[in-house]
């Protein structure tokens, strides 16, 4: 795996620390020091502006623009509308000047730069000393947070302290719709109204989707302010006189409102927003801070992963947990998890199958309400999935590869149309949620309906081979290095599972909620013949495999592909998409990520340890991990088959992917969904947790270099803490009723009293 | 084959006749009554304009514009520049008015409409009576031709005869750059200069490619003319007074000049063009007409195909021969054959592998100089082919799928990048040319170089399977309903042939022209190790086949694809590209055109009759002929295996594809390359001609409904006439030395004295 760390941040178990400003990595830091609270996100751009490399990015979850997709040729069934989460306004917009010099770390003389993200509290602090051209020395300290308690609230505190000389500084606080959406090449916003009275406020509207963003702020400092305004921006400025040694602090509280759909005219909308903002800002900075930090304190109480003896991994995994919460914690079922969260424009803010496949487990075991909301999102977008299936000449529901609003937004049709495993990922999510949280109300009100529609899609998209096997032709599996293949093993297996899950769910509903079931059958015009057909398809599903070696064939003909020694590829050729022509990438046995291993992780009980070994050993040397989701899966399987070297090597990449900028593209935003896989990497990898058996199962191991580690999982209403150290694993229920787990292969009753087991061989 | 004729033109062995104006088919007629002379082409739009459905199209061969190809995502190795033959100026631009009413057949009262294309002379005549609103009756007769003798020369003759009343008519003759290029949505031309003195002339320049079109005309009529001009147009008008019964004739001679590249400034260029045009127009209409008709007279003397007892086929095949000559007859090696010839915008005037595969045989056997020029075109564009290969991480020469100037212009990358059989088509063309014309000078000066570079491409694009077989992975064969397949049989076989042809050509050159060979080896840095590698690749080439049934497998895994009964597809679903989603089209065993049958036609001697039978019977029911090239191939093979019903059925479609508008898209232009396949259909189908054996071979048959038929072929400098009737086939050399042919399986010396053979069983 030709991935090399580019580390410049300090290792610390609870903080991300940048000592001295790394101007050459300014955009990487902007991503890493991103803040978010699901409703909104802000990259760590400098409040005061920066004339060096910067991407001033502030996002409101689900606020998007649209544009036509231009294909060289149009074909039926292909998506023609691109949607993208837009860069919204810069609510941290600030300008500071002294003696006519505008502060700008790209040119201003400065020292003692220190930036810290405190994972315990979710606050970013940045300080440095500015040596002005006029000979003054001013220490500046910036603090910001996006409230996890009140999602609309952003707070910024700026302290100026004159260290040398009496300084006269001008400080401007603004709201600015001008930062461009870089991929679109412009700001997508039209200013509708701006005003500076008790509150300074602005309202913008997107050009095509007609969505609104409103922002208002108040500054606590009693100084006299003057209004400053320009195109698509408004703000206030004041002048502050500091004697040597004197300090002054400004506190800006910002209320952001996203209006995704409204019938109101601009003046009514303005009035409504101003009232809401007034209420939101009716809180002191200190109270807001206290509520925000209390949220984080609760998180770490039950969801922390502690690693003793490996501060790199410790910092990495806490950063992952922190970013997952920032991205999504179930505030609103209209939100989902973008591939880059709320930290950049890449992947257009789109949600992928990553949500159910890699992110959902984190929420299932930490925040079941958030897990349910992720599935509710899919239910709300079921109409779009029905349409998308129909456009492809199929029935039922085909969930989109890449979406904000539930419609398919993937311009690359051979991904958008052929990666049909996405719908099964939704089914997998429903099954997984039921397995861990057992929420019959959800299943009967929404889950069964989704499962039936997804099964209908697969039944209509699949075909019978001349030999009487059922399968899917012309597909692309999760491994995107092979397009237009037949009988992709991953797709076939998970579609078969989908048929089975659907049957099970239908039977349960028919038994437990017969009235509701009858209503649903009528609503969907569901036929018994469909159910029977699915049974036949499931049992006749083709699963390609070499019976001699026990290796599953990734798709029909994969074993006949030319072999490529991936170690022969020069490091400078990576990422291959940039340096290899597309047909060259696609024609070998080289894979981007491991389809078969993914199955052996999700459905662990279906495969013997021997099968996992031979498949790992076959596919690992063929995988170049050009998907950032790939290493975790390898690490987890490696741990299971006893290959601790690989397990540790791959896990480090997963937990520190962005902190060490392994893929050299952290500047574009964080790999949010890979971050979720990092959580799985610890809990399922070293913790050996598996979810597909009768009981939730654990088979803990420990990397040689670690002294110990612990994590907690929520399951069926209880919270179980697992601690591993000194050759033993200890289980205790820290909240809720006792429950039975499968530990090292045996059913064990776990209760409040800690129970200890020796680690497997 | 769900293809149904839409016939509205009269059947006539030598003419295309439209009796009564078919306004609802106006654009179909525009295509069918197209004229061309390789240098230029004009659709049969009405001289006087038409406010109904019309595509005023006038083309100068190889004059093109360019535009970027917008891909939703860019990948290395994909074409990003689109080129397209532009609609040039309307040199037949005319306006006729009488008593203030402008003649327009969409609204003007008219009767006795008759339009005829005389295939014997290449002249289109159109006449009708116009009943003006003012009560006059004027008979109008339009005549036009594009000189086959002097390619720059177009002639138009208009006769006005007053049948009732004394008429005062205004006649305007113009040159007009305004007709839009419909796909581009505008005229691509910028007017550079226009002037009306002795000659009326105009010069236009394309916006991006900076190519020039110049046109000048003279009108013979002695009347006083007045200049009329407008944006991008210029012309002259006159008023003619006709007493009842009086007739007047205007003759417009037009000289067109295409300047594809120049260093001259506009005023120098204008001067040069005016001089050239002056010389060109220094010819009388009658002399020009005589030279033009003499050309056609020569053509029909030696190249006619006579069919007795089937006027539909007779008219169809003559129309095909006529259109082939109009499109291309070897005037300039910079020209090639566009998929629509010079008759419309569709396919952007691009040249495809159709040239070598379907068109070249016609020229090989009728016009060897033209055949050579088609190959010269590929030699001139070798540098572009070398670049295109490199962009795809390969060596050698990869010829483009779709091109005007030798660069790849196919925006649909899975066609442009994956249909790698195109390069082998060039090699096939060279081999075929040598086989029929044996031109060692060409082979040694250009052919071997091209063959080496093409073999280099295949050697670098191919791969070794884990089982030691060589093949091509991630390709699309001629059958475009299966993309990204491995070991497409057509591609593998023709690449193996290419390696073999290259070896043979190298050996011949080394023996016969050792000095030139040494120079070439040095120029290309050609290594003996390359030659050895190609030998290995050729002999290890994988050719998928079911040994039990003898059916070749179109590509790896084709036999495992879901079967689709193509007869179950509703007729209204055709063409499928319009009504089926792309992944639905691609995932069955349904094919668009027959890869395997094509091989069995080209390399007939390699396959037994039994093999041809089983493969025809397997693939024919799976083929929907969505390529217009497909039916001919079926017809030829059907004739060979004795399936006369299919042979006749498919041949009718081939010869009358446009006359009967089988594909309902003749309005976009003629299917020029299919027209070439129609020639093969008669000669190779019923004539049973095969070119791949030691001797040129014939095995004539005759459709039951035909009384007789005859055709001629040029071979090794001789012209052989083949006549079939009354159960016998007669062969005679009508020009040149005696030669040996393989007739019905036996070598036979054929000379000037006719020799007769009974037809095979």
């Amino acid at each position: 795996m030709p991935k090399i760390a580019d580390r410049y941040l300090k290792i610390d178990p609870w903080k991300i620390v940048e000592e001295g400003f790394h101007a050459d990595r300014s955009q990487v830091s902007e991503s890493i020091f991103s803040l978010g609270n699901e409703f909104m996100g802000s990259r760590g751009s400098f409040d005061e502006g920066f004339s060096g490399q910067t991407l001033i990015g502030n996002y409101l979850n689900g606020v998007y623009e649209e544009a036509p997709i231009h294909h060289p040729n149009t074909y039926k069934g292909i998506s023609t509308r691109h949607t993208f989460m837009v860069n919204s306004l810069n609510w941290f917009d600030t300008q500071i000047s002294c003696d006519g010099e505008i502060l700008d770390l790209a040119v201003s003389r400065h020292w003692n730069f220190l930036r810290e993200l405190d994972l315990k509290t979710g606050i970013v602090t940045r300080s440095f000393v500015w040596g002005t051209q006029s000979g003054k020395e001013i220490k500046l300290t910036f603090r910001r947070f996006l409230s996890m308690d009140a999602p609309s609230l952003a707070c910024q505190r700026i302290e100026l302290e004159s260290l040398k000389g009496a300084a006269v500084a001008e400080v401007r606080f603004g709201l600015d719709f001008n930062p461009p959406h870089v991929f679109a090449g412009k700001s997508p916003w039209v200013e509708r109204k701006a005003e500076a009275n008790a509150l300074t406020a602005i309202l913008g509207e997107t050009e095509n989707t007609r969505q609104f963003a409103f922002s208002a702020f108040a500054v606590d400092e009693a100084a006299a302010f003057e209004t400053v305004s320009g195109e698509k921006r408004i703000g206030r400025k004041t002048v502050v006189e500091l004697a040597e040694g004197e300090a002054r602090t400004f506190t800006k509280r910002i209320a952001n409102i996203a209006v995704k759909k409204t019938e109101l005219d601009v003046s009514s909308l303005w009035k409504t927003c101003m009232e809401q903002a007034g209420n939101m800002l009716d809180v002191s900075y200190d109270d807001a801070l206290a509520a925000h930090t209390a949220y984080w304190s609760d998180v770490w109480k039950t969801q922390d992963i502690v690693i003793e003896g490996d501060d790199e991994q410790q910092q990495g995994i806490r950063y992952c947990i922190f970013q997952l919460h920032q991205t999504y914690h179930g505030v609103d079922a209209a939100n989902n998890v973008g591939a880059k969260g709320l930290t950049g424009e890449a992947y257009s803010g789109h949600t992928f199958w990553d949500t159910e496949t890699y992110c959902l487990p984190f929420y299932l075991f930490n925040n079941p309400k958030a897990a349910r909301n992720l599935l509710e999102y899919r239910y709300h977008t079921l109409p779009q999935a029905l349409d998308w299936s129909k456009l492809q000449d199929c029935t039922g529901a085909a969930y989109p590869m890449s979406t904000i609003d539930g419609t398919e937004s993937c311009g690359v049709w051979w991904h958008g149309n052929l990666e049909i495993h996405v719908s099964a990922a939704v089914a997998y999510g429903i099954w997984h949620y039921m397995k861990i949280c057992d929420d019959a109300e959800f299943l009967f009100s929404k889950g069964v309906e989704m499962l039936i529609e997804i099964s209908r899609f697969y039944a209509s998209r699949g075909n019978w081979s001349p030999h009487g096997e059922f399968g899917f032709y012309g597909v692309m599996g999760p491994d995107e290095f092979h397009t237009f293949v037949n009988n992709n093993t991953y797709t076939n297996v998970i579609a078969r599972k989908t048929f089975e899950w659907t049957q099970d769910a239908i039977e349960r509903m028919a038994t437990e909620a017969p009235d509701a079931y009858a209503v649903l059958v009528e609503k969907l015009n569901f036929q018994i013949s469909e159910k029977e057909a699915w049974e036949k398809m499931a049992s006749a599903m083709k699963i390609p495999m070499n019976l001699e070696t026990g290796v599953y064939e990734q798709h029909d003909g994969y074993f006949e592909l030319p072999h490529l020694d991936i170690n022969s590829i020069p490091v400078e050729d990576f990422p291959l998409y940039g340096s290899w022509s597309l047909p060259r990438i696609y024609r070998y046995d080289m894979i981007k990520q491991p389809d078969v291993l993914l199955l052996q992780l999700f459905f662990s009980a279906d495969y013997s340890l021997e099968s996992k070994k031979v498949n790992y050993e076959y596919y690992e040397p063929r995988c170049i991990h050009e998907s950032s989701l790939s290493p975790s899966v390898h690490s987890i399987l490696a741990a299971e088959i006893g290959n601790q070297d690989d397990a540790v090597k791959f896990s480090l990449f997963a937990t520190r992917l962005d902190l060490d900028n392994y893929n050299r593209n952290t500047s574009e935003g964080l790999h949010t969904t890979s971050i979720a896989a990092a959580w799985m990497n610890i809990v399922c990898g070293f913790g050996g947790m598996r979810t597909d058996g009768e009981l939730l199962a654990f088979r803990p191991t420990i990397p040689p270099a670690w002294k110990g580690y612990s994590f907690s999982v929520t399951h069926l209403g209880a919270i179980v803490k697992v601690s591993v150290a000194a050759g033993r694993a200890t289980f205790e229920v820290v909240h809720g009723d006792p429950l039975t787990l499968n530990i090292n292969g045996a059913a064990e009753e776990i209760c409040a009293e800690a129970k200890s087991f020796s680690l497997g061989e």
Side-chain angles (χ1 to χ4, degrees), chain A:
Chain A
M1 192 175 60
K3 310 267 189 190
I4 296 157
D6 177 30
R7 185 177 298 171
Y8 66 99
L9 300 169
K10 217 180 127 183
I11 298 295
D12 181 299
W14 275 111
K15 286 178 181 169
I16 310 301
V17 184
E18 183 187 8
E19 283 179 341
F21 176 41
H22 294 77
D24 56 334
R25 294 179 178 92
S26 57
Q27 286 193 206
V28 176
S29 296
E30 283 181 353
S31 296
I32 290 175
F33 289 96
S34 283
L35 289 178
N37 66 3
E38 180 181 327
F39 168 71
M40 61 184 169
S42 287
R43 287 171 59 81
S45 327
F46 292 164
D47 311 61
E48 72 278 14
F50 182 61
S51 65
Q53 286 288 317
T54 182
L55 169 59
I56 300 172
N58 295 275
Y59 309 97
L60 297 171
N61 204 331
V63 172
Y64 67 94
E65 255 294 28
E66 63 183 16
I69 299 172
H70 295 289
H71 297 281
N73 262 38
T74 48
Y75 295 99
K76 178 167 184 272
I78 288 177
S79 175
T80 55
R81 176 174 164 266
H82 178 60
T83 54
F84 56 99
M85 180 177 75
V86 289
N87 198 352
S88 70
L89 76 161
N90 181 8
W91 50 75
F92 287 131
D93 181 42
T94 306
Q95 188 186 292
I96 298 171
S97 55
C98 177
D99 298 332
E101 180 189 353
I102 295 174
L103 173 62
D104 173 1
L105 291 194
V107 291
S108 298
R109 208 159 57 90
H110 66 277
W111 56 90
N112 287 1
F113 179 99
L114 179 71
R115 171 152 55 175
E116 289 187 350
L117 163 60
D118 185 343
L119 303 172
K120 255 188 190 146
T121 59
I123 297 169
V124 171
T125 309
R126 179 170 57 98
S127 62
F128 54 87
V129 178
W130 175 20
T132 71
Q133 287 165 6
S134 55
K136 315 289 167 58
E137 293 180 6
I138 303 172
K139 179 175 180 191
L140 288 119
T141 306
F142 298 84
R143 230 178 229 101
R144 56 164 70 171
F145 66 92
L146 303 184
S147 173
M148 294 294 275
D149 174 65
S152 289
L153 191 67
C155 291
Q156 177 193 30
R157 177 163 268 187
I158 304 175
E159 186 180 288
L160 296 91
E161 181 185 359
S162 177
L163 301 184
K164 182 175 158 195
V168 180
E170 185 191 273
V171 185
R172 298 184 182 203
F173 294 96
L175 299 170
D176 186 4
F177 271 112
N178 283 293
H181 190 88
V182 176
F183 286 178
K186 60 173 187 176
S187 158
W189 295 98
V190 179
E191 182 186 324
R192 289 299 174 214
K193 190 172 164 72
E195 191 179 278
N197 292 314
L199 295 181
T200 305
I202 193 164
L203 177 71
E205 184 181 2
T206 54
E207 273 181 39
N208 302 310
T209 48
R210 320 299 301 265
Q211 297 190 331
F212 291 89
F214 173 91
S215 186
F217 73 83
V219 179
D220 293 338
E221 167 67 25
F225 278 94
E226 195 182 314
T227 301
V228 282
S229 65
E231 202 194 333
K232 297 191 196 182
R233 63 192 301 171
I234 192 160
R236 318 200 88 181
K237 67 174 180 183
T238 190
V239 173
V240 54
E241 297 181 19
L242 296 171
E244 186 169 302
E246 194 183 357
R248 285 281 283 284
T249 299
F250 295 90
T251 304
K252 179 183 178 188
R253 288 162 301 123
I254 306 138
N256 291 320
I257 300 172
V259 182
K260 296 178 190 172
K261 200 168 179 180
T262 181
E263 300 294 314
L264 296 180
D265 62 18
V266 165
S267 73
S268 311
L269 183 62
W270 178 267
K271 203 168 153 244
T272 310
C273 288
M274 281 297 274
E275 279 172 19
Q276 286 178 29
N279 292 336
M280 289 166 190
L281 295 178
D282 190 18
V283 60
S284 73
Y285 176 86
D286 289 340
D287 287 351
L289 183 66
H292 171 71
T293 53
Y295 179 97
W296 283 113
S297 169
D298 281 351
V299 164
W300 296 119
K301 235 177 255 166
T302 55
Q303 300 176 31
D304 191 18
I305 293 181
V306 177
I307 297 174
E308 290 168 67
D310 188 338
D311 281 351
E312 291 182 21
Q313 292 261 27
Q314 176 65 80
Q315 182 184 41
I317 191 62
R318 284 209 176 110
Y319 184 71
C320 293
I321 295 169
F322 178 80
Q323 286 295 352
L324 281 168
H325 273 276
Q326 289 213 125
T327 303
Y328 190 82
H329 52 278
V331 170
D332 185 345
N335 294 334
N336 206 294
V337 182
K340 297 275 171 192
L342 302 162
T343 69
E345 293 180 8
Y347 293 104
S348 301
H350 287 164
T351 290
F352 295 81
W353 73 306
D354 305 20
T355 290
E356 286 80 8
T357 311
Y358 299 101
C359 302
L360 189 67
F362 172 80
Y363 296 104
L364 287 178
F365 290 102
N366 287 291
N367 184 348
K369 173 181 165 264
R372 171 160 173 162
N373 270 358
L374 287 173
L375 297 173
E376 297 266 357
Y377 172 90
R378 297 295 192 180
Y379 186 74
H380 295 321
T381 57
L382 180 58
Q384 293 91 311
L386 292 168
D387 288 346
W388 179 236
S389 179
K390 200 171 171 189
L391 191 68
Q392 293 171 76
D393 305 319
C394 293
T395 57
Y399 278 93
M401 177 65 193
S402 181
T403 190
I404 291 179
D405 63 354
T407 63
E408 179 60 74
S409 185
C410 183
V412 183
W413 73 267
W414 57 99
H415 289 254
N417 290 68
L418 305 185
E419 295 201 43
I420 62 167
H421 55 86
V422 174
S423 299
V426 175
Y428 172 68
I430 296 168
W431 168 79
H432 214 180
Y433 174 64
M434 291 306 297
K435 195 94 186 161
I436 306 306
C437 306
D438 193 35
D439 179 354
E441 191 280 321
F442 172 79
L443 187 69
F444 301 157
S445 66
K446 294 169 180 134
V448 173
E449 182 176 350
M450 293 160 82
L451 287 168
I452 287 176
E453 295 293 13
I454 294 170
S455 285
R456 282 175 165 173
F457 168 65
Y458 283 115
S460 62
R461 179 62 173 79
N463 290 101
W464 292 92
S465 83
H467 311 301
E469 292 167 312
F470 194 77
F472 299 93
Y473 294 80
V475 302
M476 183 184 245
D479 165 36
E480 293 174 331
F481 277 4
H482 295 92
T483 190
F484 238 97
V485 300
N486 302 322
N487 293 307
N488 171 263
T489 293
Y490 179 87
T491 306
N492 283 16
V493 168
I494 199 136
R496 186 181 64 190
K497 293 272 182 193
T498 298
F499 286 139
E500 291 165 356
W501 296 327
T502 306
Q503 310 273 16
D504 292 348
I506 286 170
E507 276 161 33
R508 178 170 171 186
M509 187 175 179
T511 309
E512 296 180 20
D515 294 346
Y517 179 68
V519 171
L520 185 65
V521 164
E522 171 123 4
K523 175 182 172 188
L524 302 183
N525 188 24
F526 179 60
Q527 307 290 326
I528 196 73
S529 57
E530 295 184 78
K531 199 169 165 300
E532 287 164 0
W534 300 343
E535 270 164 21
K536 279 191 197 125
M537 291 167 184
S539 63
M541 190 71 73
K542 183 176 182 189
I543 312 296
M545 185 187 188
N546 181 329
L547 290 173
E548 270 178 49
T549 62
V551 178
Y552 288 91
E553 189 170 31
Q554 188 177 284
H555 55 262
D556 280 348
Y558 174 85
F559 289 148
E560 312 300 316
L561 291 176
H563 178 60
L564 186 74
D565 174 10
I566 60 174
N567 294 313
S568 71
I569 305 172
V571 174
E572 59 270 22
D573 282 10
F574 293 96
L576 293 187
Y577 279 130
S579 59
W580 283 32
S581 72
L582 209 48
R584 184 179 175 200
I585 293 176
Y586 281 171
R587 70 177 180 256
Y588 295 96
D589 65 352
M590 169 177 68
I591 61 176
K592 185 179 173 188
Q593 66 183 85
D595 288 15
V596 171
L597 304 191
L598 206 53
L599 290 174
Q600 298 197 316
L601 165 57
F602 292 166
F603 310 113
S604 185
D606 294 354
Y607 305 93
S608 69
L609 191 64
E610 182 54 28
S611 170
K612 287 166 188 165
K613 270 187 190 155
V614 296
N615 281 281
Y616 182 90
E617 278 156 19
Y618 184 86
Y619 283 107
E620 190 278 327
R622 287 168 171 79
C623 183
I624 69 156
H625 308 280
E626 200 137 311
S627 162
S628 62
L629 296 160
S630 175
S632 297
V633 175
H634 281 85
S635 176
I636 297 169
L637 268 296
E640 180 171 0
I641 63 172
N643 183 342
Q644 283 290 353
D645 286 353
D646 275 16
V648 171
K649 176 181 76 175
F650 286 123
S651 75
L652 199 64
F653 172 82
T655 53
R656 297 189 59 86
L657 172 56
D658 287 312
L659 292 180
D660 289 343
N661 194 9
Y662 276 106
N663 281 1
R664 301 297 188 269
N665 59 0
T666 291
S667 58
E668 298 175 1
L670 301 177
H671 295 78
T672 305
T673 50
S674 305
I675 277 169
W679 180 88
M680 284 209 292
N681 201 149
I682 304 295
V683 175
C684 304
F686 303 119
M689 184 176 82
R690 292 295 183 276
T691 56
D692 61 309
E694 274 301 299
L695 298 170
L696 184 65
F698 294 87
R699 190 180 289 276
T701 59
I702 186 166
W706 292 6
K707 282 191 198 138
Y709 68 101
S710 66
F711 60 86
S712 304
V713 293
T714 298
H715 178 39
L716 300 173
I719 301 178
V720 183
K721 183 171 180 186
V722 183
S723 312
V724 182
R728 298 191 72 76
T730 307
F731 289 74
E732 59 194 304
V733 170
V734 294
H735 171 88
D737 297 330
L739 79 180
T740 309
L741 300 174
N742 175 330
I743 296 171
N744 293 336
E748 305 281 356
E749 173 93 1
I750 302 296
C751 56
E753 195 183 334
K755 209 163 170 182
S756 166
F757 303 86
S758 63
L759 302 184
E761 80 290 10

